[in-house]
Amino acid sequence: MNNNPQNDSIMSLADRYMFQTYGRFPVALVRGEGCRVWDDKGKAYLDFVGGIAVCALGHSSPLVSRVLEEQSKILVHVSNLYYTRPQTELAQLLVENSFADRVFFCNSGAEANEAAIKVARRYSNEKFGPGRHVIVSMYNSFHGRTMATLSATGQSKIQVGYDPLLQGFKFVSFNDVKGLDQAMDDSVCAVILEPIQGEGGVVCPDPGYLKEVRDLCNRHNALLIFDEVQVGMGRTGRLFAHEHYGVTPDIMTLAKALGNGLPIGAMLSTEELGSVFGPGSHATTFGGTPLVTAVSKAVVEKLLEKGWMEEAGRVGEYFKGKLEGLARRYPFIKDVRGLGLILGMELDRPGTPVVEACLKEGFLVNCAHETVLRFIPPLIIQKGEIDLLVEALDTIFQKVGD
Ligand SMILES: *Cc1c(COP(=O)(O)O)cnc(C)c1O
């Protein structure tokens, strides 16, 4: 045991007892409210990471606290051997507000994508017979860290050392219609992609691209899977990002903001695919517990309140305009992109020094794909809070600048 009180801090204990899977910043956060969090020394930070696009309603949301407390006194968990009301009502809410007819609940984005991969393969097996198991994915994508989802992820850096990976994935470049056309053959059962690539550095689809993907899937009897784990749940100003592009998938996966911080994932599909998962074909102990789904239902209802998501979208446009203003003044900013409140600022150099400077100034900001500053704040972020970040970035960029 370590009895030295100086070494007894949260950080040193974590360094000593936990797998060092995360390159953490040297900050221990102890409390949050709205778009602010505080560390163990009492320093406040404005949060533009939002738990990585999770805390849509902000920290310590009174709504989430109330439902969590109430449901915790009614029923927390029983198992999916029995019907429960919150789970059923959340499924109905998601179906009534999406293209989908059926929902499967799980606990994370990776699990939602696992379920999607399993549905796609099983459907193809049942309908077309064996041998049609290939799923086409995109380079620069991110679908999770389980063996199947990291095999589906088009980034070799997260696959290193885990061979053999799951077979049956083929990769093409995002926004490359021709490349996808060439990849589509008789072995392909599905195409999986993020409507906007998140971890890949906030990469948006070119105009018309998603429609072309849909057409190619139709022509080859392949299913289209949209991974909306990061961009879904109101972040773009609509409930689901694909609604902006007039393209409907066969399967959609959700997680991150679905529970505002409680662990929940969901895989949604059309009626035809719904029959692929019968009793015993797929399951998870914790998927859709009354506690988590009661909170999620309250979160989704909040997002659906008239004008709520649209306002988040407008605030996102304001934010983007401010970032573009910075880009006009600092030549090392190569690009500003994104939709609603998922925004990326690509630099011509690593973003980590900027992220560290922001942290010092009291702002949580994140870097995706090495050179892209990514802004994915709670959807309740205010223009005044955005102004504070933009001022801080301006000061930081003056020091960074050539
Ligand atoms: C975060 C993320 C995942 C993985 O979700 P986990 O809950 O971490 O398993 C999958 N797809 C996308 C697009 C994500 O952003």
Side-chain angles (χ1 to χ4, degrees), residues 108-110 113 142-144 194 199 227 229-230 256:
S108 67
N113 286 327
F142 184 78
H143 299 298
E194 303 151 83
E199 299 305 305
D227 177 344
V229 167
Q230 184 161 152
K256 291 200 162 85

Coordinates of all heavy atoms in Angstrom, one line a residue, residues 108-110 113 142-144 194 199 227 229-230 256, ligand 1:
S108 N -23.5 0.0 -25.8 CA -22.4 0.8 -26.3 C -22.5 0.9 -27.9 O -23.3 0.2 -28.5 CB -21.0 0.3 -26.0 OG -20.8 -1.0 -26.7
G109 N -21.7 1.8 -28.4 CA -21.7 2.0 -29.9 C -21.1 0.7 -30.5 O -21.7 0.3 -31.6
A110 N -20.1 0.2 -30.0 CA -19.5 -1.0 -30.6 C -20.5 -2.2 -30.6 O -20.6 -2.9 -31.6 CB -18.2 -1.4 -29.8
N113 N -23.0 -1.7 -33.3 CA -22.4 -2.1 -34.6 C -22.2 -3.6 -34.7 O -22.4 -4.2 -35.8 CB -21.1 -1.4 -34.9 CG -21.3 0.1 -35.2 OD1 -22.3 0.4 -35.8 ND2 -20.4 1.0 -34.8
F142 N -14.6 4.9 -38.0 CA -14.5 4.3 -36.7 C -15.8 3.7 -36.3 O -16.8 4.3 -36.3 CB -14.1 5.4 -35.7 CG -13.9 4.8 -34.3 CD1 -12.7 4.1 -34.0 CD2 -14.9 4.8 -33.3 CE1 -12.5 3.6 -32.8 CE2 -14.7 4.2 -32.1 CZ -13.5 3.6 -31.8
H143 N -15.7 2.4 -35.9 CA -16.9 1.7 -35.6 C -16.8 1.0 -34.2 O -17.8 0.3 -33.8 CB -17.3 0.7 -36.7 CG -17.6 1.3 -38.0 ND1 -18.6 2.2 -38.2 CD2 -16.9 1.2 -39.2 CE1 -18.6 2.6 -39.4 NE2 -17.6 2.1 -40.0
G144 N -15.7 1.1 -33.5 CA -15.6 0.5 -32.2 C -14.4 -0.3 -32.0 O -13.5 -0.4 -32.9
E194 N -20.3 6.0 -41.6 CA -20.8 7.1 -40.8 C -21.2 8.2 -41.8 O -20.4 8.6 -42.6 CB -19.7 7.7 -39.9 CG -19.0 6.7 -38.9 CD -17.6 7.1 -38.6 OE1 -17.3 7.9 -37.7 OE2 -16.6 6.5 -39.3
E199 N -14.4 10.3 -35.7 CA -13.0 10.1 -35.2 C -12.0 10.4 -36.3 O -10.9 10.7 -36.1 CB -12.8 8.7 -34.7 CG -13.7 8.3 -33.5 CD -13.5 9.2 -32.3 OE1 -12.4 9.4 -31.9 OE2 -14.5 9.8 -31.9
D227 N -23.8 4.3 -39.3 CA -23.3 4.4 -37.9 C -23.5 5.8 -37.5 O -22.7 6.7 -37.9 CB -21.8 3.9 -37.9 CG -21.3 4.1 -36.5 OD1 -21.9 4.7 -35.6 OD2 -20.2 3.5 -36.2
V229 N -23.6 6.7 -34.3 CA -23.3 6.7 -32.9 C -22.8 8.0 -32.4 O -23.2 8.5 -31.3 CB -22.2 5.6 -32.6 CG1 -21.6 5.7 -31.2 CG2 -22.8 4.2 -32.8
Q230 N -22.1 8.7 -33.2 CA -21.5 10.0 -32.8 C -22.4 11.2 -33.4 O -22.6 12.2 -32.7 CB -20.1 10.2 -33.3 CG -19.4 11.5 -32.9 CD -17.9 11.4 -32.9 OE1 -17.3 12.5 -33.1 NE2 -17.3 10.3 -32.8
K256 N -23.7 6.9 -28.0 CA -23.2 8.2 -27.3 C -24.3 9.0 -26.6 O -24.5 8.8 -25.5 CB -22.4 8.9 -28.3 CG -21.0 8.2 -28.6 CD -20.0 9.1 -29.2 CE -18.6 8.5 -29.0 NZ -18.2 7.6 -30.1
Ligands
LIG1 C1 -17.7 6.2 -30.4 C2 -18.1 5.5 -31.6 C3 -18.3 4.1 -31.7 C4 -18.0 3.2 -30.5 O1 -18.8 3.4 -29.5 P1 -18.4 2.8 -28.0 O2 -19.6 3.2 -27.2 O3 -17.2 3.5 -27.6 O4 -18.3 1.4 -28.2 C5 -18.7 3.6 -32.9 N1 -18.9 4.4 -33.9 C6 -18.8 5.7 -33.9 C7 -19.0 6.5 -35.1 C8 -18.3 6.3 -32.8 O5 -18.1 7.6 -32.8

